[in-house]
Amino acid sequence: MTTPSAEGARPADAGRASPPDSHVTDATDGADAMDPDNTPQASTDPPASDPSAPPLLSLVDIGKSFGPVRVLSHITLDIPVGQVTAVVGDNGAGKSTLIKTISGIYHQDEGQILWQGRQVHLHTPKDATDLGIATVYQDLALADNLDIVANMFLGHELVKHFQLDEIGMEKSARQTLADLSVVTVRSVRQAVGSLSGGQRQAVAVARAVMRQAKLVILDEPTAALGVTQTRVVLDLIKRLKSQNIAVIVISHNLNDVQSVADRIAVLRLGRLVAVGPASQYDAESIVDLMTTGTSKRLAATPAEPSAGSSSEH
């Protein structure tokens, strides 16, 4: 039985034209299509500046298993340019597996990944990086014994006359931090080990931006940060959006999510149970969706996901 929908509500992939030169079929067609009873709740997003342009990233019917454990099932999600999409869910919902699939660490078992309307195959993290996908994990992957400049250029050092271009790297690092309005760092030659949590997060994000990232994925960016440092990181996310960079935020902090997100996607037991504009959800409805897959606080209620074991990796 089809889930009832309120006026203006529609599935996340409804009304989206098939991208050019791709062989993508609608996620509701075919033998492996999503069961109508599992259709995620959604509503129409605000119109983009160019409605005919495809999303920056599209996940179409993505599935992933580890042995007998089904971790992701029929995930269909668009990531628009210049918007912040928050992916939320309880532990074991599949958030980490989803971002690692987008980042090229895992390869999906089913479905397609489209980048700017064309199908891509992400077999390694380098494949994702080459497209413009940068992931900032919770541990940040920074070298505490090196300064900010060395961390931002680690593995991508500039060379001039067969020597490291220290001056060029320092100027570039300083300019990138300035463009992101990072003003709390005393010096770009300061050791990263001496920075606060918010400053370290800023350095990790600046490194991604400097490498021409078009999509930045932030994994729990405000975890274990104080109020002031959290504000620094949230302001940084807003500045990424202002530079027309797409952002995916994975977070358990619903207050942070609601303060920066344009769109919210809710995962439960490896399924996308709801997606839509952030204005459609309040904290109570998000918690309802995370825990039960449905919420009476919303105009349209998604069906309960099919039973089955799932684990986040």
Side-chain angles (χ1 to χ4, degrees), residues 108-124:
Q108 75 274 13
D109 299 325
E110 303 165 3
Q112 296 175 317
I113 297 177
L114 307 181
W115 181 259
Q116 296 178 321
R118 296 183 180 275
Q119 184 177 357
V120 294
H121 299 279
L122 306 179
H123 295 288
T124 66

Side-chain angles (χ1 to χ4, degrees), residues 159-217:
V159 177
K160 186 176 183 180
H161 303 308
F162 303 103
Q163 294 182 332
L164 290 179
D165 185 5
E166 296 286 358
I167 295 177
M169 290 190 291
E170 183 171 325
K171 287 181 177 179
S172 181
R174 188 181 293 112
Q175 184 61 52
T176 302
L177 291 170
D179 290 343
L180 293 172
S181 300
V182 179
V183 296
T184 59
V185 174
R186 184 177 69 252
S187 167
V188 292
R189 289 302 180 181
Q190 185 177 353
V192 163
S194 68
L195 300 179
S196 69
Q199 290 171 328
R200 290 166 61 87
Q201 189 75 237
V203 171
V205 171
R207 177 175 59 186
V209 171
M210 190 173 61
R211 296 176 186 175
Q212 305 301 312
K214 298 177 181 177
L215 168 62
V216 175
I217 304 173

Side-chain angles (χ1 to χ4, degrees), residues 9 49 94 104 143 162 201 218 264 308:
S49 55
F162 303 103
Q201 189 75 237
L218 301 175
I264 293 178

Side-chain angles (χ1 to χ4, degrees), residues 117-303:
R118 296 183 180 275
Q119 184 177 357
V120 294
H121 299 279
L122 306 179
H123 295 288
T124 66
K126 185 178 184 303
D127 293 338
T129 301
D130 290 345
L131 287 177
I133 300 173
T135 304
V136 180
Y137 293 100
Q138 192 169 346
D139 62 6
L140 303 181
L142 297 174
D144 288 348
N145 60 316
L146 300 179
D147 62 26
I148 293 173
V149 175
N151 269 278
M152 290 179 64
F153 282 91
L154 192 61
H156 300 267
E157 291 81 0
L158 300 182
V159 177
K160 186 176 183 180
H161 303 308
F162 303 103
Q163 294 182 332
L164 290 179
D165 185 5
E166 296 286 358
I167 295 177
M169 290 190 291
E170 183 171 325
K171 287 181 177 179
S172 181
R174 188 181 293 112
Q175 184 61 52
T176 302
L177 291 170
D179 290 343
L180 293 172
S181 300
V182 179
V183 296
T184 59
V185 174
R186 184 177 69 252
S187 167
V188 292
R189 289 302 180 181
Q190 185 177 353
V192 163
S194 68
L195 300 179
S196 69
Q199 290 171 328
R200 290 166 61 87
Q201 189 75 237
V203 171
V205 171
R207 177 175 59 186
V209 171
M210 190 173 61
R211 296 176 186 175
Q212 305 301 312
K214 298 177 181 177
L215 168 62
V216 175
I217 304 173
L218 301 175
D219 181 19
E220 297 288 352
T222 60
L225 296 184
V227 174
T228 301
Q229 296 176 11
T230 294
R231 176 51 53 191
V232 170
V233 173
L234 296 181
D235 288 343
L236 187 61
I237 292 172
K238 294 175 182 177
R239 284 191 287 274
L240 291 176
K241 172 185 170 181
S242 71
Q243 295 184 10
N244 213 34
I245 297 174
V247 181
I248 297 177
V249 176
I250 310 295
S251 180
H252 283 91
N253 192 315
L254 298 185
N255 290 330
D256 293 348
V257 164
Q258 292 178 302
S259 68
V260 297
D262 298 295
R263 304 172 70 249
I264 293 178
V266 185
L267 291 178
R268 180 176 182 270
L269 299 178
R271 291 184 178 273
L272 184 66
V273 295
V275 60
S279 58
Q280 177 179 333
Y281 306 97
D282 57 17
E284 290 80 2
S285 63
I286 295 173
V287 171
D288 288 345
L289 291 163
M290 288 169 54
T291 56
T292 69
T294 184
S295 176
K296 294 180 180 179
R297 300 178 62 88
L298 302 177
T301 303

